[in-house]
Amino acid sequence: DNAMPHEGVHINFVKSLQGVADGDFSVEYVHGSKASRKVHPSSPGTAAVQDVADGLVDIAIGPIWITGGRLKMTSFTMPIHHDRTVLVIPKPGTKSSLITQSEKVLDPFSPGVWALLLATIAVTALLSVWFNMGKRMRGRQSGHVRKRVYARFCIDEFLQKGIFFCSAGVEQDEGASLPHKLLMFGFAFFTLILVSAYVANLAAFLTRSKIEYTGDMESVVAKKMRICAHPALQEDLELAHPDATFVFNLNGKELFGLVEDYKAGSCEVLAVGKMDSLGDMNLMDLFCKEELVYTESLVIENPVGFPIRSDLASGFSYWMYQAEKYHRVSVKTSEEAYKAESKRQPTCDVMLSAQEEEESEFAQITEANLFLPIIFFLFCAGIAVLLQLYHQWLLKKEILDDSVRSSESRSSMLGRTSTLNLFASRRHVGHPLS
């Protein structure tokens, strides 16, 4: 019945365009033909394009994707906007098990940082054993016993250095050698940075809700999940994602048909044009009922325009350009005005991004973030190793009389302590104050 009133965002846009054109064109609204619907039963949009191609109408008003197949049928106006077809997925649930809560303690650092931390503690422990082995071994053990003692020392040092790290401090040994103190200096700086970074991020990670879902096209394709999609985009979708498993609804129910297929279990996720569907409140209410949400994962992007007779395309596109440039009349402004007038909103939030926290607030600390403390520790450890090797070389080079100086008393300037209190106490040995 052509007498029925026509309304909507795109109808209002064309009416505004008529005002800008000042009578240059007029529009009489009619319904699409039944013949074209029989030729293209799966897509009312393609049926409307067929009406233009057959000369039944001059133009079809509506958000119709511009595809290669449709361009073969007829010409289009300049694009009114570009529609992003994105993934629509079931609303993710939050995990609150004890295991999930326990995993949050490890979340501030990436697995690589935890491995780096354990490796740093292990290296520090091994170097500490080496630097102090002269004090501990006393030269009396050998063979199998010596290996067991070294193993025990390494375990003790690893646990000790781990305790120091967890308490955000290092040992204060006034009698330690210079290489050992230099090593502890590097380890202390490493500990300062890591503990500060961990504590700063821990509270945010402990209080956030942990959500797990498959929300990007790459993961969907890798898991071979079925995707309900509009048949008008079949060629474009299969070209862009040849490995994906698409399910196309052929009953002509447009996006509502995709939701029916999802409810029937034909697919796990949907590919839906975002700009075209967000304005349909009935569809949005259906999304809320079925707990479906939009992601930001792009499937494909298509221009949207009006199919029009070729001899009218240039003139109509001219007025579209003039209206947007000089009068700020566009589909976007018409949509904003229509929403403000209708004041109807979806019964729920259909955007996944609005339900998630900002990713930057919960970004894990990675190895690259710790470049400076790692390099500083390695520098201190490297210098300490060189000093220890030089210290041992000096001891081997000395020719000492074993009857005068035993191996236990051999030393060098690098191996001696340099604290003032020890120096003062040695000066007064054998010289009591009177």
Side-chain angles (χ1 to χ4, degrees):
D1 184 1
N2 293 334
M4 293 181 61
H6 297 77
E7 60 179 2
V9 173
H10 298 88
I11 298 295
N12 292 346
F13 168 67
V14 174
K15 290 179 179 179
S16 300
L17 209 59
Q18 286 182 266
V20 173
D22 195 20
D24 189 62
F25 66 89
S26 61
V27 180
E28 179 184 352
Y29 295 98
V30 297
H31 287 280
S33 68
K34 293 182 179 179
S36 295
R37 289 299 299 270
K38 289 185 177 180
V39 175
H40 303 283
S42 63
S43 174
T46 305
V49 175
Q50 186 68 58
D51 282 342
V52 177
D54 292 340
L56 299 178
V57 294
D58 297 321
I59 187 173
I61 304 299
I64 299 178
W65 289 308
I66 302 176
T67 65
R70 289 172 172 176
L71 284 171
K72 287 182 180 179
M73 299 168 63
T74 189
S75 56
F76 277 75
T77 64
M78 62 179 292
I80 55 178
H81 59 72
H82 286 75
D83 191 17
R84 291 168 52 89
T85 298
V86 299
L87 278 181
V88 173
I89 64 173
K91 183 179 179 180
T94 58
K95 299 180 66 178
S96 57
S97 64
L98 292 178
I99 295 178
T100 302
Q101 299 301 323
S102 301
E103 290 174 350
K104 291 181 180 180
V105 177
L106 304 177
D107 285 345
F109 288 166
S110 67
V113 171
W114 286 113
L116 176 65
L117 171 60
L118 294 176
T120 303
I121 293 176
V123 169
T124 305
L126 292 175
L127 291 178
S128 296
V129 172
W130 178 35
F131 294 166
N132 298 296
M133 64 182 178
K135 294 180 180 180
R136 296 184 173 185
M137 297 301 295
R138 299 295 183 186
R140 291 194 295 268
Q141 293 86 359
S142 61
H144 181 66
V145 175
R146 180 181 290 269
K147 292 180 181 179
R148 292 180 59 185
V149 173
Y150 271 131
R152 175 57 187 273
F153 283 163
C154 290
I155 294 175
D156 286 347
E157 284 293 331
F158 181 84
L159 294 176
Q160 185 185 59
K161 297 302 183 286
I163 293 173
F164 289 154
F165 178 86
C166 292
S167 60
V170 295
E171 60 186 327
Q172 304 292 324
D173 185 3
E174 294 182 345
S177 64
L178 180 60
H180 186 266
K181 289 182 176 179
L182 186 58
L183 174 67
M184 288 297 100
F185 180 59
F187 183 66
F189 183 76
F190 180 83
T191 299
L192 170 67
I193 300 301
L194 261 74
V195 170
S196 300
Y198 180 79
V199 172
N201 278 359
L202 182 60
F205 277 93
L206 287 177
T207 55
R208 74 165 177 169
S209 299
K210 207 161 189 178
I211 302 176
E212 290 188 358
Y213 61 92
T214 302
D216 61 273
M217 193 61 186
E218 291 75 15
S219 300
V220 168
V221 174
K223 294 181 179 180
K224 300 187 181 301
M225 299 174 67
R226 292 165 297 173
I227 310 168
C228 285
H230 198 290
L233 299 177
Q234 180 172 354
E235 182 180 350
D236 295 39
L237 290 170
E238 292 178 344
L239 182 63
H241 304 281
D243 298 328
T245 304
F246 291 104
V247 178
F248 299 101
N249 183 280
L250 302 178
N251 60 14
K253 294 184 178 180
E254 296 283 3
L255 300 180
F256 290 91
L258 272 60
V259 180
E260 288 183 1
D261 287 347
Y262 169 77
K263 291 170 59 178
S266 300
C267 57
E268 289 84 17
V269 295
L270 299 82
V272 178
K274 197 171 182 180
M275 294 191 68
D276 181 26
S277 58
L278 282 174
D280 191 333
M281 292 299 105
N282 293 328
L283 180 64
M284 294 301 95
D285 290 343
L286 184 59
F287 273 26
C288 293
K289 181 180 178 181
E290 300 301 326
E291 296 188 335
L292 296 171
V293 291
Y294 289 89
T295 70
E296 293 299 327
S297 179
L298 179 66
V299 182
I300 57 172
E301 186 172 7
N302 289 86
V304 176
F306 301 148
I308 188 172
R309 277 172 35 196
S310 58
D311 57 321
L312 299 176
S314 176
F316 197 88
S317 296
Y318 166 79
W319 287 117
M320 290 174 60
Y321 178 83
Q322 293 291 104
E324 182 172 8
K325 185 174 183 180
Y326 297 105
H327 302 276
R328 295 184 178 180
V329 173
S330 65
V331 171
K332 184 177 180 180
T333 57
S334 297
E335 182 180 9
E336 292 172 352
Y338 185 80
K339 287 181 178 180
E341 182 179 353
S342 64
K343 297 182 180 180
R344 185 180 173 187
Q345 297 294 330
T347 56
C348 70
D349 199 333
V350 295
M351 306 302 297
L352 177 63
S353 57
Q355 302 172 18
E356 291 183 308
E357 298 87 354
E358 289 293 332
E359 186 67 23
S360 59
E361 294 181 6
F362 299 99
Q364 285 185 323
I365 296 173
T366 64
E367 301 91 314
N369 302 131
L370 302 176
F371 178 77
L372 177 59
I374 294 171
I375 293 300
F376 187 82
F377 170 77
L378 293 177
F379 174 78
C380 293
I383 298 298
V385 168
L386 293 177
L387 292 177
Q388 180 69 11
L389 291 174
Y390 183 61
H391 165 63
Q392 292 182 347
W393 178 77
L394 290 177
L395 293 181
K396 291 180 180 180
K397 187 178 179 182
E398 289 182 5
I399 302 176
L400 302 173
D401 187 352
D402 290 342
S403 61
V404 179
R405 300 183 61 186
S406 67
S407 61
E408 294 181 13
S409 63
R410 291 179 182 177
S411 182
S412 72
M413 289 299 295
L414 295 178
R416 291 174 178 166
T417 58
S418 59
T419 52
L420 294 177
N421 57 336
L422 291 177
F423 175 75
S425 63
R426 288 181 178 178
R427 285 187 61 186
H428 299 292
V429 172
H431 300 281
L433 297 175
S434 56

